[in-house]
Amino acid sequence: DAGVTQSPTHLIKTRGQHVTLRCSPISGHKSVSWYQQVLGQGPQFIFQYYEKEERGRGNFPDRFSARQFPNYSSELNVNALLLGDSALYLCASSWGLADEQFFGPGTRLTVL
Amino acid sequence: GEDVEQSLFLSVREGDSSVINCTYTDSSSTYLYWYKQEPGAGLQLLTYIFSNMDMKQDQRLTVLLNKKDKHLSLRIADTQTGDSAIYFCAESPNTGGFKTIFGAGTRLFVKA
């Protein structure tokens, strides 16, 4: 079985642009979570979705939004990019809300 | 508040035991986790412990939980060079929706 996949692997944007990151969970998993990992720090929780509904939100501005599709894949959108948004964005999937999370390899976003 | 703290670096000789320590703040957390991150890779769940347990052993890994002091430790027996990585302590508070709070990570160096 394929693990969690994320696309793209790397992305370079300029300030003010917007970006869409994509995540495909492990087959059968219904929950997807998004994390931001700035270099040298631990992952910071952004969102958790379960059965297409938002079930948890971290302390991030409204420029960050996400959604989950009927096939349980997910998109993370970031508008009006700032330099400080440069980070590794990790997606994790789990069968249920509180089950073990399996992480994807991440998308490295660089904002210039 | 929610915070997970860890020491940043640990250096051990191959064959010795490594002990990585962590303190957390949210006593409502049901699950406490240890993740491993190797360079260029995503996060790998090593082990977890329920908050009603004091100890969990899994092959070379031993997790100790002191709930009174909100202190969690990970002991790696017979540390190998392949154990060199960043180790993250994390908790899942039962308040504020579903989310996982990570520490900044402890970078383990194993000298041959």
Side-chain angles (χ1 to χ4, degrees):
Chain A
D1 264 349
V4 177
T5 59
Q6 293 185 243
S7 63
T9 53
H10 296 85
L11 201 52
I12 299 175
K13 293 283 190 178
T14 56
R15 282 178 296 176
Q17 287 188 310
H18 75 273
V19 68
T20 299
L21 309 181
R22 296 177 175 81
C23 172
S24 291
I26 291 172
S27 178
H29 285 190
K30 298 182 179 180
S31 177
V32 170
S33 297
W34 288 96
Y35 294 83
Q36 180 197 65
Q37 187 177 19
V38 173
L39 195 63
Q41 296 181 19
Q44 298 291 312
F45 173 78
I46 310 175
F47 290 111
Q48 181 174 28
Y49 277 76
Y50 176 72
E51 288 284 15
K52 302 177 286 291
E53 290 186 6
E54 182 184 301
R55 295 303 191 100
R57 174 185 281 258
N59 189 23
F60 278 81
D62 292 343
R63 299 185 296 108
F64 288 76
S65 64
R67 54 181 176 167
Q68 186 177 33
F69 298 99
N71 67 352
Y72 302 108
S73 67
S74 178
E75 284 182 354
L76 175 70
N77 294 285
V78 187
N79 293 324
L81 285 166
L82 303 174
L83 296 180
D85 295 330
S86 295
L88 179 68
Y89 288 84
L90 295 164
C91 171
S93 78
S94 58
W95 190 86
L97 277 169
D99 296 314
E100 176 182 351
Q101 293 185 324
F102 293 83
F103 283 81
T107 293
R108 184 158 299 281
L109 172 66
T110 302
V111 182
L112 302 176
Chain B
E2 302 158 348
D3 198 14
V4 177
E5 293 190 356
Q6 316 176 225
S7 53
L8 294 181
F9 298 99
L10 176 66
S11 180
V12 300
R13 292 192 179 278
E14 192 174 21
D16 288 350
S17 292
S18 306
V19 179
I20 302 172
N21 295 301
C22 164
T23 56
Y24 61 97
T25 55
D26 197 316
S27 57
S28 74
S29 292
T30 302
Y31 298 92
L32 296 143
Y33 309 91
W34 284 103
Y35 285 85
K36 178 182 181 182
Q37 188 175 38
E38 294 179 274
L43 288 164
Q44 173 196 357
L45 178 65
L46 282 179
T47 187
Y48 65 91
I49 189 168
F50 290 105
S51 59
N52 62 357
M53 297 171 65
D54 297 324
M55 185 183 85
K56 180 179 180 181
Q57 187 153 1
D58 184 1
Q59 299 182 333
R60 292 191 297 124
L61 305 178
T62 302
V63 179
L64 294 178
L65 175 61
N66 180 330
K67 212 176 168 188
K68 173 177 170 289
D69 295 336
K70 298 194 186 89
H71 182 267
L72 185 73
S73 68
L74 173 70
R75 178 176 179 269
I76 305 172
D78 188 24
T79 312
Q80 303 297 306
T81 54
D83 294 325
S84 293
I86 302 175
Y87 290 82
F88 293 95
C89 173
E91 63 171 341
S92 284
N94 287 337
T95 56
F98 289 93
K99 55 187 169 183
T100 303
I101 310 298
F102 286 81
T106 299
R107 185 176 291 275
L108 175 64
F109 296 93
V110 182
K111 295 176 285 189

